[in-house]
Amino acid sequence: MRDLLGLALRRNPKRAHLLVSTVLGKHVPQRPSVVLGAGHRLGERVRALLGAREAARAVVLGFAETATGLGLTAAHGMGSRAGALHSTRRRVAGVRPFGGFEEEHSHATSHLLLPEDPGILRGDGPLVLVDDELSTGRTVRNTVAALHAVHPRDRYVVAALVDTRGEADVAALEKFAAELGARVDVVALARGRVGLPDDVLERGRALVERHGAGTGAASAGTGTGTWTWTGTEPGAGTGAEPGTCAGAEPVADREGSGAVPRQVSRPGRTGPRGAIRRVDLCWPEGLPDGARHGFGPREQTRLEAALPGMAERLLTALGPEAGTVGAEAGAVGPEAATVGAEAGTDGTAIGADRTEAGTKETAPAGAKEAAPDRTGAGTGRAGAGRPPRVLVLGNEELMYAPLLLARALEERTEGRAEILFSTTTRSPVLPVDDPGYAIRTALRFPAHDVPEADGARDARNAAPTPNAAPTPNAAPAGDAIPTGDAAPTSDAPAGPGERYAYNVAGQGFDAVVAVVDSVGDTPALHAPGGLLDQLAGCVPTVLLAVVPAYAPERDAGRPRPPQPLYGPAFSSYPREDVAWLLRDLSDVALEAPTEEREEAIQAGGAHYAESLPVEYQPSPEYQRLFHSALDASAERLARAVGTVTETVLAERGPRPVLVSLARAGTPVGVLMRRWARQAHGLDLPHYAVSIVRGRGIDTNALAHLAAHHDPADVVFVDGWTGKGAITRELAEALAAHPRFVPELAVLADPGSCVSTFGTREDYLIPSACLNSTVSGLISRTVLRADLVGPHDFHGAKFYRELAGSDLSRHFVDTVAGHFPAVRQAALRDAAALATADRTPTWAGWRAVEEISEAYGIGDVNLIKPGVGETTRVLLRRVPWRVLARRGAGADLDHVRLLARQRGVPVEETDDLPYSCVGLIHPRYTRGATGADGKAAR
C-alpha cells in the first residue's frame, strides 16, 4: 500500500483526506512505463479472474477523472475486445447521454455516460468498472444499480489500484450484489485500511481555512530565497503578488514537530520566463482522443501506429537530440510554431512583446551553468550529471493519449532524458512542503475548457440534479440510465472554476509538454494566469500539443472500417481457406514493363509497391518444370508444413490465428490451416495481410485483427526467408504494437532469420515458381496514396482472366494429400526442434553483405538469396546474374531455364550458404539487360 499511495488534505467539506496514487499519473509525476505497468497488471488480474474468453467479451467503464486512462490501460491488459468507455463531466454538443450517476463524496459529483454506440453497454458479457481507489463502494453501487436497471447482466467486476474498504463497506457490497441477483467481484493491486480520527472533517476544514486561503503563491520545494524574474511582474492581471509564481497555489510547510502549514518563499528561476510553443502532432483524422465516447482495439491500433511519428515531432521541438532537451529555450524544430496570444491565432510569442507576461524568447541567464535542482525551483536547466527532465502534462480527463505519448518519448530517449507524466485536475488539495506529504507544490489556474457563456450558465445551475429524473431528449425509456441532464447545445464541462497542476512547480523540470484537446484550446488557456502562463513561470520550455476533441456527430461521416474479402469473389481459394485484408484494385491499371519499373525504383522515383509487374505467363516447358518439381517435392513440403504447424500449436496454441504475408505466405497459411484441421480437428482463422519493405505492415489490417482476436494469438506466416529483410521489417513495424508477437513462422529458413520453421534447407518450394496462378490469382500488394486511403487496407488485384491457368488449389491439394503419410515424421521433427537451439544466426544476412562487397553492388536490397527469391528476381525484376552453389542439382532446373530465357549468366560457386542467389542489375538504366556491363564491375 505504501508503495502505491501517499496522503494529502483535500479542500472538500465531504472528505478531509485524499489518498494520492503514486502510479496513476494524476497528482504525482511518474514514469509513464510505471503508470502503464500498474494498469496492465490490474487488467491481467481481471483476466485471471474472468478467464481469457470472458475477459475478451467484457466491457470496461472507467470513472472520470482519475481513471480515464487507467480504464483503457486495464482494458488492454485484460484483452478486452468489446472496448472501453469512461464517464465524463463534460457535456458534448449533439450527443444524448445514455445516462448518469452520482459520486457522492467527490468535489464534482455528477457523471455522464456518452457512448457513441449505446450497444457497448447492452452486451451480455461482464462489465468491469475501473477506478484508482475503492474506498467505500458507494459510487460503484450507484453505477451498477443504474446500469443494471437498464440492462441487467450476470456479472460485474470492480477493479481498483487499491481497495481500502472497511468490513462494513465490504459487507454492504456483498448485500447489494445478493439483492441485485448478480455476481460482483473486486480485484485490486493492494488492499489495506486507512484509520482516521472521528473529527477528521472538522480538523481538516480548520487547517484548510486557516492556511489554505492564499494569495496565489506557488510552492517550490525546499530552500530559501524568492521567486525572481527579469521584466515586469509575472502575475500582472492575475491577482498574484510580486515575487511569486503567478496565480499559483500557496504553499504550506512543516515547522517543528507540530507540522503547521505556513506560506514560504522559495528560490526562483532568474531571468526571463520560459518560451511557449505549439507543436502539431498530426493526430490521425477521426481517431478518438480517449474513451469518452468509446475506444476499442481498432482505435488502439491506430493510435499505436501514429505514436512514433508524434513522438518524433515532440523530440524535434524539444531539441535536435534528447540530450539537448531544454538546453535553449528557443531551440525548437521546424514543426514547432509559436503559440499565439489568443488561442494561438495570431502567431505572436507569449511575452515577446507583451509586458504583462514579461518574457523574451531567450534562455534564462546562467541557464547552462545552473546546478541540478530536483527539489527547489532552480533554473530548471539540465546540468552536468543528470539528463534533462521533461514532464508530459495531460489535461483532466485527457489522460490516455498523453500517457502513451510520454511512453513513446521515454522509449525513444533511452535514458538521455527523464520523461515523467501527470495531468491537471479539478481536485482541490492543500500543498504541504514536506518529503512525507504527497502534494508538495501546486499551480492554480482558471478552467480553460469552459466558454464564458457556458461557464456562467453552469454556475447558475451548479446544483446537481437527481439522477432519477428522466432525460428530456435521451434515448427512449428502457434504453438509457435516467439522468437530469438534457442533451447540451455546446461543448463544456459540468461547471466552471479553478483547476490545478500538482508537483510541477519547483521540481526541476527543463520542459513541460502540455497536452490539451481542442475544446480546451481557448483564450483562457493562453491568458495571463492561465495554465500556459503558469507553466512558463516555472520551466524554461513549454510545448503545447493540441489533440482534436472527438465528436461523434461531427465525425459521423468518417469511413467505416474496411472488411475482409473472400473467394470466390476475390481469389480462387474457397471462402473458408483465407480472409484477405486487402482492398480490391482489380479494375485499376497498375502493370508496367519490368525495365521501366526497375529504372524508376532504382532512381528513387518510385517504390516497388506503387505498381505491379506484368504477370509472367509461363511457357509450356516452364509449366512442365513446375509440375515435375511439385511431384518431386510434395512429400518433403508436406513434412515441413506439419513440422512448422505442430511447432506453432505447441508454442503459440491452443488456437493460434494464422496471418500470412500476402502473397507468398498465403499458400503456406492455407496448408497450415489444413494440417491443423486434418491432424487436430482445429478450425483456425487465417487472414492474409500486406507488408511492404520500407513502408511497414498494414496497420488497418492490424486494427481489424485486434478487434476480432487477441493479438497475442496472432502468428505471422511467410513462405521462406531470404536474407531476412521482411523478418526485420515485421519486427520494426510491430515495435509500436507490443500486443502482437513480432515473430515469423516460415516453411523454410535457409538464412537462419527466424526461430519457427519447417526446415532450414534451401530447396525449391514450387509455389515460388509462379506468381498469382499459385497464390489464389492475387497480385502482389500495392500501396499508393491515390489508391489506398488512410482508412483502407493495402490493395491488390484479382486476376480473374487467368482462371484457366490457375494452379492454386492444385498445389495445395497435392501437398495436403501427403499429410497422412508424413504425420509421424513431422511430429518427430517438431519434438526435436522443441529442444534444439533455434536461435537465428543471421548467417544469410552476413553472406549477402559479403556478396555485395565482392561484386561492388553496395545495396543489399539488390541481392536476393535462396531459390524462392532468385525465382522472383527472374520473374519480376531486371536480373544481372545468378550465383548457384556447385552441385545444387534439379532444384535449380527452373532457375536455369528462366535465366536462359532472360539471357542471364549463371555462375557456379563454392561456399554459398544458399542453393542460389539472384542479383538484380545494379544502377540500372533503361536498355541495360542481362550482363551488358553497364553497372557494377
PDB file of all heavy atoms in Angstrom, residues 234 236-238 246 273 276 339-344 350-351 354 356-357 445-448 520-536:
ATOM      1  N   PRO A 234       5.405  38.995 -12.979  1.00  0.00           N
ATOM      2  CA  PRO A 234       4.839  37.851 -13.684  1.00  0.00           C
ATOM      3  C   PRO A 234       3.360  37.670 -13.449  1.00  0.00           C
ATOM      4  O   PRO A 234       2.688  37.068 -14.245  1.00  0.00           O
ATOM      5  CB  PRO A 234       5.621  36.663 -13.113  1.00  0.00           C
ATOM      6  CG  PRO A 234       6.083  37.124 -11.765  1.00  0.00           C
ATOM      7  CD  PRO A 234       6.331  38.592 -11.906  1.00  0.00           C
ATOM      8  N   ALA A 236       1.019  40.028 -13.322  1.00  0.00           N
ATOM      9  CA  ALA A 236       0.202  41.172 -13.672  1.00  0.00           C
ATOM     10  C   ALA A 236      -1.148  40.737 -14.210  1.00  0.00           C
ATOM     11  O   ALA A 236      -1.247  39.920 -15.096  1.00  0.00           O
ATOM     12  CB  ALA A 236       0.924  42.021 -14.721  1.00  0.00           C
ATOM     13  N   GLY A 237      -2.185  41.287 -13.660  1.00  0.00           N
ATOM     14  CA  GLY A 237      -3.525  40.963 -14.131  1.00  0.00           C
ATOM     15  C   GLY A 237      -4.084  39.684 -13.565  1.00  0.00           C
ATOM     16  O   GLY A 237      -5.208  39.330 -13.890  1.00  0.00           O
ATOM     17  N   THR A 238      -3.374  38.997 -12.715  1.00  0.00           N
ATOM     18  CA  THR A 238      -3.855  37.711 -12.221  1.00  0.00           C
ATOM     19  C   THR A 238      -4.187  37.733 -10.743  1.00  0.00           C
ATOM     20  O   THR A 238      -4.680  36.752 -10.209  1.00  0.00           O
ATOM     21  CB  THR A 238      -2.780  36.634 -12.435  1.00  0.00           C
ATOM     22  OG1 THR A 238      -1.669  36.928 -11.584  1.00  0.00           O
ATOM     23  CG2 THR A 238      -2.315  36.582 -13.866  1.00  0.00           C
ATOM     24  N   ALA A 246       3.081  33.282 -10.703  1.00  0.00           N
ATOM     25  CA  ALA A 246       1.788  33.923 -10.934  1.00  0.00           C
ATOM     26  C   ALA A 246       0.623  32.969 -10.781  1.00  0.00           C
ATOM     27  O   ALA A 246       0.586  31.913 -11.358  1.00  0.00           O
ATOM     28  CB  ALA A 246       1.773  34.517 -12.343  1.00  0.00           C
ATOM     29  N   ARG A 273      10.969  34.483 -18.353  1.00  0.00           N
ATOM     30  CA  ARG A 273      10.095  33.335 -18.225  1.00  0.00           C
ATOM     31  C   ARG A 273      10.284  32.408 -19.419  1.00  0.00           C
ATOM     32  O   ARG A 273      10.839  32.775 -20.441  1.00  0.00           O
ATOM     33  CB  ARG A 273       8.642  33.808 -18.133  1.00  0.00           C
ATOM     34  CG  ARG A 273       8.373  34.628 -16.881  1.00  0.00           C
ATOM     35  CD  ARG A 273       7.142  35.494 -17.038  1.00  0.00           C
ATOM     36  NE  ARG A 273       5.942  34.703 -17.304  1.00  0.00           N
ATOM     37  CZ  ARG A 273       5.269  34.048 -16.362  1.00  0.00           C
ATOM     38  NH1 ARG A 273       5.726  34.055 -15.111  1.00  0.00           N
ATOM     39  NH2 ARG A 273       4.179  33.387 -16.644  1.00  0.00           N
ATOM     40  N   ILE A 276       7.041  29.529 -24.873  1.00  0.00           N
ATOM     41  CA  ILE A 276       5.888  28.654 -25.102  1.00  0.00           C
ATOM     42  C   ILE A 276       5.716  28.484 -26.601  1.00  0.00           C
ATOM     43  O   ILE A 276       5.655  29.463 -27.340  1.00  0.00           O
ATOM     44  CB  ILE A 276       4.602  29.253 -24.503  1.00  0.00           C
ATOM     45  CG1 ILE A 276       4.803  29.600 -23.024  1.00  0.00           C
ATOM     46  CG2 ILE A 276       3.427  28.304 -24.693  1.00  0.00           C
ATOM     47  CD1 ILE A 276       3.650  30.385 -22.437  1.00  0.00           C
ATOM     48  N   VAL A 339       3.147  29.862 -30.134  1.00  0.00           N
ATOM     49  CA  VAL A 339       1.750  29.917 -29.710  1.00  0.00           C
ATOM     50  C   VAL A 339       1.278  31.351 -29.727  1.00  0.00           C
ATOM     51  O   VAL A 339       1.956  32.253 -29.241  1.00  0.00           O
ATOM     52  CB  VAL A 339       1.600  29.337 -28.291  1.00  0.00           C
ATOM     53  CG1 VAL A 339       0.180  29.503 -27.799  1.00  0.00           C
ATOM     54  CG2 VAL A 339       1.987  27.881 -28.301  1.00  0.00           C
ATOM     55  N   GLY A 340       0.103  31.588 -30.289  1.00  0.00           N
ATOM     56  CA  GLY A 340      -0.447  32.929 -30.333  1.00  0.00           C
ATOM     57  C   GLY A 340      -0.954  33.385 -28.986  1.00  0.00           C
ATOM     58  O   GLY A 340      -1.246  32.599 -28.095  1.00  0.00           O
ATOM     59  N   ALA A 341      -1.095  34.707 -28.850  1.00  0.00           N
ATOM     60  CA  ALA A 341      -1.540  35.257 -27.582  1.00  0.00           C
ATOM     61  C   ALA A 341      -2.981  34.900 -27.293  1.00  0.00           C
ATOM     62  O   ALA A 341      -3.368  34.697 -26.155  1.00  0.00           O
ATOM     63  CB  ALA A 341      -1.380  36.781 -27.607  1.00  0.00           C
ATOM     64  N   GLU A 342      -3.809  34.807 -28.314  1.00  0.00           N
ATOM     65  CA  GLU A 342      -5.209  34.464 -28.117  1.00  0.00           C
ATOM     66  C   GLU A 342      -5.481  33.125 -28.784  1.00  0.00           C
ATOM     67  O   GLU A 342      -5.697  33.047 -29.989  1.00  0.00           O
ATOM     68  CB  GLU A 342      -6.124  35.556 -28.703  1.00  0.00           C
ATOM     69  CG  GLU A 342      -6.025  36.882 -27.956  1.00  0.00           C
ATOM     70  CD  GLU A 342      -6.479  36.733 -26.525  1.00  0.00           C
ATOM     71  OE1 GLU A 342      -7.418  35.976 -26.267  1.00  0.00           O
ATOM     72  OE2 GLU A 342      -5.896  37.394 -25.652  1.00  0.00           O
ATOM     73  N   ALA A 343      -5.451  32.071 -28.010  1.00  0.00           N
ATOM     74  CA  ALA A 343      -5.755  30.717 -28.502  1.00  0.00           C
ATOM     75  C   ALA A 343      -4.914  30.356 -29.704  1.00  0.00           C
ATOM     76  O   ALA A 343      -5.326  29.626 -30.570  1.00  0.00           O
ATOM     77  CB  ALA A 343      -7.231  30.592 -28.832  1.00  0.00           C
ATOM     78  N   GLY A 344      -3.708  30.930 -29.792  1.00  0.00           N
ATOM     79  CA  GLY A 344      -2.805  30.538 -30.866  1.00  0.00           C
ATOM     80  C   GLY A 344      -3.220  31.091 -32.211  1.00  0.00           C
ATOM     81  O   GLY A 344      -2.872  30.544 -33.242  1.00  0.00           O
ATOM     82  N   ILE A 350       4.006  34.426 -26.763  1.00  0.00           N
ATOM     83  CA  ILE A 350       3.543  34.934 -25.473  1.00  0.00           C
ATOM     84  C   ILE A 350       4.697  35.624 -24.769  1.00  0.00           C
ATOM     85  O   ILE A 350       5.742  35.043 -24.538  1.00  0.00           O
ATOM     86  CB  ILE A 350       2.999  33.806 -24.600  1.00  0.00           C
ATOM     87  CG1 ILE A 350       1.647  33.338 -25.153  1.00  0.00           C
ATOM     88  CG2 ILE A 350       2.847  34.240 -23.159  1.00  0.00           C
ATOM     89  CD1 ILE A 350       0.987  32.300 -24.315  1.00  0.00           C
ATOM     90  N   GLY A 351       4.505  36.866 -24.431  1.00  0.00           N
ATOM     91  CA  GLY A 351       5.523  37.599 -23.694  1.00  0.00           C
ATOM     92  C   GLY A 351       6.575  38.238 -24.571  1.00  0.00           C
ATOM     93  O   GLY A 351       7.380  39.008 -24.092  1.00  0.00           O
ATOM     94  N   ARG A 354       4.675  41.514 -24.934  1.00  0.00           N
ATOM     95  CA  ARG A 354       3.587  41.787 -24.007  1.00  0.00           C
ATOM     96  C   ARG A 354       4.150  41.995 -22.615  1.00  0.00           C
ATOM     97  O   ARG A 354       4.702  41.091 -22.022  1.00  0.00           O
ATOM     98  CB  ARG A 354       2.583  40.626 -23.992  1.00  0.00           C
ATOM     99  CG  ARG A 354       1.829  40.472 -25.285  1.00  0.00           C
ATOM    100  CD  ARG A 354       1.067  39.167 -25.318  1.00  0.00           C
ATOM    101  NE  ARG A 354       0.211  39.053 -24.147  1.00  0.00           N
ATOM    102  CZ  ARG A 354      -0.124  37.891 -23.621  1.00  0.00           C
ATOM    103  NH1 ARG A 354       0.332  36.774 -24.143  1.00  0.00           N
ATOM    104  NH2 ARG A 354      -0.905  37.851 -22.565  1.00  0.00           N
ATOM    105  N   GLU A 356       2.640  42.311 -19.868  1.00  0.00           N
ATOM    106  CA  GLU A 356       2.012  41.596 -18.762  1.00  0.00           C
ATOM    107  C   GLU A 356       2.648  40.238 -18.542  1.00  0.00           C
ATOM    108  O   GLU A 356       2.562  39.675 -17.462  1.00  0.00           O
ATOM    109  CB  GLU A 356       0.498  41.437 -19.001  1.00  0.00           C
ATOM    110  CG  GLU A 356       0.138  40.608 -20.221  1.00  0.00           C
ATOM    111  CD  GLU A 356      -0.095  41.500 -21.426  1.00  0.00           C
ATOM    112  OE1 GLU A 356       0.607  42.518 -21.548  1.00  0.00           O
ATOM    113  OE2 GLU A 356      -0.992  41.186 -22.218  1.00  0.00           O
ATOM    114  N   ALA A 357       3.250  39.638 -19.572  1.00  0.00           N
ATOM    115  CA  ALA A 357       3.924  38.356 -19.372  1.00  0.00           C
ATOM    116  C   ALA A 357       5.380  38.559 -19.035  1.00  0.00           C
ATOM    117  O   ALA A 357       5.973  37.748 -18.339  1.00  0.00           O
ATOM    118  CB  ALA A 357       3.788  37.479 -20.620  1.00  0.00           C
ATOM    119  N   PHE A 445      -5.068  27.632 -11.613  1.00  0.00           N
ATOM    120  CA  PHE A 445      -5.355  28.428 -12.818  1.00  0.00           C
ATOM    121  C   PHE A 445      -6.836  28.277 -13.161  1.00  0.00           C
ATOM    122  O   PHE A 445      -7.485  27.292 -12.764  1.00  0.00           O
ATOM    123  CB  PHE A 445      -4.482  27.994 -13.992  1.00  0.00           C
ATOM    124  CG  PHE A 445      -4.527  26.521 -14.257  1.00  0.00           C
ATOM    125  CD1 PHE A 445      -5.428  25.978 -15.172  1.00  0.00           C
ATOM    126  CD2 PHE A 445      -3.685  25.644 -13.577  1.00  0.00           C
ATOM    127  CE1 PHE A 445      -5.481  24.619 -15.401  1.00  0.00           C
ATOM    128  CE2 PHE A 445      -3.733  24.284 -13.802  1.00  0.00           C
ATOM    129  CZ  PHE A 445      -4.638  23.759 -14.726  1.00  0.00           C
ATOM    130  N   PRO A 446      -7.388  29.230 -13.920  1.00  0.00           N
ATOM    131  CA  PRO A 446      -8.812  29.132 -14.284  1.00  0.00           C
ATOM    132  C   PRO A 446      -9.046  27.988 -15.266  1.00  0.00           C
ATOM    133  O   PRO A 446      -8.183  27.663 -16.087  1.00  0.00           O
ATOM    134  CB  PRO A 446      -9.103  30.486 -14.945  1.00  0.00           C
ATOM    135  CG  PRO A 446      -7.958  31.368 -14.577  1.00  0.00           C
ATOM    136  CD  PRO A 446      -6.774  30.477 -14.389  1.00  0.00           C
ATOM    137  N   ALA A 447     -10.219  27.396 -15.179  1.00  0.00           N
ATOM    138  CA  ALA A 447     -10.597  26.374 -16.159  1.00  0.00           C
ATOM    139  C   ALA A 447     -10.562  27.001 -17.550  1.00  0.00           C
ATOM    140  O   ALA A 447     -11.045  28.111 -17.753  1.00  0.00           O
ATOM    141  CB  ALA A 447     -11.991  25.845 -15.844  1.00  0.00           C
ATOM    142  N   HIS A 448      -9.987  26.287 -18.499  1.00  0.00           N
ATOM    143  CA  HIS A 448      -9.847  26.847 -19.853  1.00  0.00           C
ATOM    144  C   HIS A 448     -10.680  26.108 -20.891  1.00  0.00           C
ATOM    145  O   HIS A 448     -10.611  26.430 -22.074  1.00  0.00           O
ATOM    146  CB  HIS A 448      -8.374  26.839 -20.279  1.00  0.00           C
ATOM    147  CG  HIS A 448      -7.714  25.502 -20.162  1.00  0.00           C
ATOM    148  ND1 HIS A 448      -7.826  24.530 -21.114  1.00  0.00           N
ATOM    149  CD2 HIS A 448      -6.951  24.982 -19.168  1.00  0.00           C
ATOM    150  CE1 HIS A 448      -7.144  23.473 -20.732  1.00  0.00           C
ATOM    151  NE2 HIS A 448      -6.607  23.713 -19.546  1.00  0.00           N
ATOM    152  N   GLY A 520     -10.358  22.606 -25.149  1.00  0.00           N
ATOM    153  CA  GLY A 520      -9.644  23.364 -24.133  1.00  0.00           C
ATOM    154  C   GLY A 520      -8.653  24.370 -24.676  1.00  0.00           C
ATOM    155  O   GLY A 520      -8.026  25.094 -23.905  1.00  0.00           O
ATOM    156  N   ASP A 521      -8.490  24.431 -26.001  1.00  0.00           N
ATOM    157  CA  ASP A 521      -7.552  25.381 -26.605  1.00  0.00           C
ATOM    158  C   ASP A 521      -8.265  26.708 -26.806  1.00  0.00           C
ATOM    159  O   ASP A 521      -8.603  27.107 -27.920  1.00  0.00           O
ATOM    160  CB  ASP A 521      -7.041  24.820 -27.937  1.00  0.00           C
ATOM    161  CG  ASP A 521      -5.932  25.675 -28.538  1.00  0.00           C
ATOM    162  OD1 ASP A 521      -5.337  26.493 -27.797  1.00  0.00           O
ATOM    163  OD2 ASP A 521      -5.669  25.524 -29.749  1.00  0.00           O
ATOM    164  N   THR A 522      -8.504  27.400 -25.692  1.00  0.00           N
ATOM    165  CA  THR A 522      -9.287  28.629 -25.673  1.00  0.00           C
ATOM    166  C   THR A 522      -8.416  29.796 -25.228  1.00  0.00           C
ATOM    167  O   THR A 522      -7.290  29.602 -24.752  1.00  0.00           O
ATOM    168  CB  THR A 522     -10.454  28.477 -24.683  1.00  0.00           C
ATOM    169  OG1 THR A 522      -9.913  28.246 -23.375  1.00  0.00           O
ATOM    170  CG2 THR A 522     -11.361  27.321 -25.068  1.00  0.00           C
ATOM    171  N   PRO A 523      -8.911  31.032 -25.355  1.00  0.00           N
ATOM    172  CA  PRO A 523      -8.133  32.169 -24.846  1.00  0.00           C
ATOM    173  C   PRO A 523      -7.744  32.031 -23.385  1.00  0.00           C
ATOM    174  O   PRO A 523      -6.683  32.500 -22.977  1.00  0.00           O
ATOM    175  CB  PRO A 523      -9.083  33.354 -25.075  1.00  0.00           C
ATOM    176  CG  PRO A 523      -9.890  32.955 -26.271  1.00  0.00           C
ATOM    177  CD  PRO A 523     -10.095  31.472 -26.116  1.00  0.00           C
ATOM    178  N   ALA A 524      -8.578  31.381 -22.587  1.00  0.00           N
ATOM    179  CA  ALA A 524      -8.255  31.227 -21.167  1.00  0.00           C
ATOM    180  C   ALA A 524      -6.995  30.397 -20.963  1.00  0.00           C
ATOM    181  O   ALA A 524      -6.268  30.601 -19.988  1.00  0.00           O
ATOM    182  CB  ALA A 524      -9.435  30.573 -20.436  1.00  0.00           C
ATOM    183  N   LEU A 525      -6.733  29.468 -21.855  1.00  0.00           N
ATOM    184  CA  LEU A 525      -5.515  28.663 -21.752  1.00  0.00           C
ATOM    185  C   LEU A 525      -4.280  29.525 -21.935  1.00  0.00           C
ATOM    186  O   LEU A 525      -3.248  29.298 -21.291  1.00  0.00           O
ATOM    187  CB  LEU A 525      -5.547  27.554 -22.809  1.00  0.00           C
ATOM    188  CG  LEU A 525      -4.287  26.699 -22.946  1.00  0.00           C
ATOM    189  CD1 LEU A 525      -4.089  25.823 -21.709  1.00  0.00           C
ATOM    190  CD2 LEU A 525      -4.367  25.835 -24.201  1.00  0.00           C
ATOM    191  N   HIS A 526      -4.391  30.541 -22.814  1.00  0.00           N
ATOM    192  CA  HIS A 526      -3.236  31.360 -23.186  1.00  0.00           C
ATOM    193  C   HIS A 526      -3.157  32.672 -22.415  1.00  0.00           C
ATOM    194  O   HIS A 526      -2.169  33.390 -22.540  1.00  0.00           O
ATOM    195  CB  HIS A 526      -3.298  31.680 -24.681  1.00  0.00           C
ATOM    196  CG  HIS A 526      -3.373  30.466 -25.560  1.00  0.00           C
ATOM    197  ND1 HIS A 526      -2.284  29.941 -26.201  1.00  0.00           N
ATOM    198  CD2 HIS A 526      -4.416  29.661 -25.878  1.00  0.00           C
ATOM    199  CE1 HIS A 526      -2.644  28.875 -26.890  1.00  0.00           C
ATOM    200  NE2 HIS A 526      -3.937  28.681 -26.714  1.00  0.00           N
ATOM    201  N   ALA A 527      -4.173  32.976 -21.632  1.00  0.00           N
ATOM    202  CA  ALA A 527      -4.238  34.273 -20.965  1.00  0.00           C
ATOM    203  C   ALA A 527      -3.250  34.349 -19.803  1.00  0.00           C
ATOM    204  O   ALA A 527      -2.796  33.327 -19.284  1.00  0.00           O
ATOM    205  CB  ALA A 527      -5.658  34.507 -20.451  1.00  0.00           C
ATOM    206  N   PRO A 528      -2.909  35.564 -19.376  1.00  0.00           N
ATOM    207  CA  PRO A 528      -2.100  35.705 -18.160  1.00  0.00           C
ATOM    208  C   PRO A 528      -2.790  35.023 -16.992  1.00  0.00           C
ATOM    209  O   PRO A 528      -3.986  35.174 -16.778  1.00  0.00           O
ATOM    210  CB  PRO A 528      -2.036  37.226 -17.964  1.00  0.00           C
ATOM    211  CG  PRO A 528      -2.241  37.793 -19.329  1.00  0.00           C
ATOM    212  CD  PRO A 528      -3.193  36.866 -20.017  1.00  0.00           C
ATOM    213  N   GLY A 529      -2.024  34.207 -16.263  1.00  0.00           N
ATOM    214  CA  GLY A 529      -2.577  33.452 -15.168  1.00  0.00           C
ATOM    215  C   GLY A 529      -3.150  32.123 -15.580  1.00  0.00           C
ATOM    216  O   GLY A 529      -3.514  31.313 -14.724  1.00  0.00           O
ATOM    217  N   GLY A 530      -3.254  31.883 -16.903  1.00  0.00           N
ATOM    218  CA  GLY A 530      -3.739  30.601 -17.382  1.00  0.00           C
ATOM    219  C   GLY A 530      -2.676  29.527 -17.261  1.00  0.00           C
ATOM    220  O   GLY A 530      -1.537  29.772 -16.847  1.00  0.00           O
ATOM    221  N   LEU A 531      -3.036  28.336 -17.661  1.00  0.00           N
ATOM    222  CA  LEU A 531      -2.130  27.199 -17.485  1.00  0.00           C
ATOM    223  C   LEU A 531      -0.782  27.430 -18.156  1.00  0.00           C
ATOM    224  O   LEU A 531       0.274  27.203 -17.544  1.00  0.00           O
ATOM    225  CB  LEU A 531      -2.779  25.923 -18.035  1.00  0.00           C
ATOM    226  CG  LEU A 531      -1.876  24.686 -18.056  1.00  0.00           C
ATOM    227  CD1 LEU A 531      -1.408  24.315 -16.651  1.00  0.00           C
ATOM    228  CD2 LEU A 531      -2.595  23.509 -18.713  1.00  0.00           C
ATOM    229  N   LEU A 532      -0.781  27.872 -19.410  1.00  0.00           N
ATOM    230  CA  LEU A 532       0.493  28.042 -20.105  1.00  0.00           C
ATOM    231  C   LEU A 532       1.344  29.114 -19.437  1.00  0.00           C
ATOM    232  O   LEU A 532       2.573  28.968 -19.315  1.00  0.00           O
ATOM    233  CB  LEU A 532       0.252  28.390 -21.577  1.00  0.00           C
ATOM    234  CG  LEU A 532      -0.445  27.319 -22.415  1.00  0.00           C
ATOM    235  CD1 LEU A 532      -0.595  27.782 -23.857  1.00  0.00           C
ATOM    236  CD2 LEU A 532       0.328  26.006 -22.364  1.00  0.00           C
ATOM    237  N   ASP A 533       0.703  30.193 -19.028  1.00  0.00           N
ATOM    238  CA  ASP A 533       1.427  31.266 -18.336  1.00  0.00           C
ATOM    239  C   ASP A 533       2.018  30.748 -17.028  1.00  0.00           C
ATOM    240  O   ASP A 533       3.156  31.074 -16.671  1.00  0.00           O
ATOM    241  CB  ASP A 533       0.461  32.416 -18.079  1.00  0.00           C
ATOM    242  CG  ASP A 533       1.152  33.639 -17.492  1.00  0.00           C
ATOM    243  OD1 ASP A 533       2.236  34.008 -18.005  1.00  0.00           O
ATOM    244  OD2 ASP A 533       0.621  34.208 -16.526  1.00  0.00           O
ATOM    245  N   GLN A 534       1.272  29.940 -16.315  1.00  0.00           N
ATOM    246  CA  GLN A 534       1.773  29.378 -15.064  1.00  0.00           C
ATOM    247  C   GLN A 534       2.988  28.488 -15.307  1.00  0.00           C
ATOM    248  O   GLN A 534       3.979  28.541 -14.589  1.00  0.00           O
ATOM    249  CB  GLN A 534       0.676  28.541 -14.391  1.00  0.00           C
ATOM    250  CG  GLN A 534      -0.552  29.319 -13.979  1.00  0.00           C
ATOM    251  CD  GLN A 534      -0.347  29.998 -12.628  1.00  0.00           C
ATOM    252  OE1 GLN A 534       0.769  30.344 -12.266  1.00  0.00           O
ATOM    253  NE2 GLN A 534      -1.420  30.177 -11.902  1.00  0.00           N
ATOM    254  N   LEU A 535       2.878  27.642 -16.318  1.00  0.00           N
ATOM    255  CA  LEU A 535       3.996  26.736 -16.606  1.00  0.00           C
ATOM    256  C   LEU A 535       5.230  27.510 -17.033  1.00  0.00           C
ATOM    257  O   LEU A 535       6.360  27.164 -16.657  1.00  0.00           O
ATOM    258  CB  LEU A 535       3.580  25.745 -17.686  1.00  0.00           C
ATOM    259  CG  LEU A 535       2.481  24.749 -17.306  1.00  0.00           C
ATOM    260  CD1 LEU A 535       2.054  23.944 -18.519  1.00  0.00           C
ATOM    261  CD2 LEU A 535       2.941  23.825 -16.184  1.00  0.00           C
ATOM    262  N   ALA A 536       5.034  28.553 -17.827  1.00  0.00           N
ATOM    263  CA  ALA A 536       6.179  29.354 -18.276  1.00  0.00           C
ATOM    264  C   ALA A 536       6.878  30.035 -17.115  1.00  0.00           C
ATOM    265  O   ALA A 536       8.057  30.387 -17.221  1.00  0.00           O
ATOM    266  CB  ALA A 536       5.720  30.391 -19.294  1.00  0.00           C
TER     267      ALA A 536
END
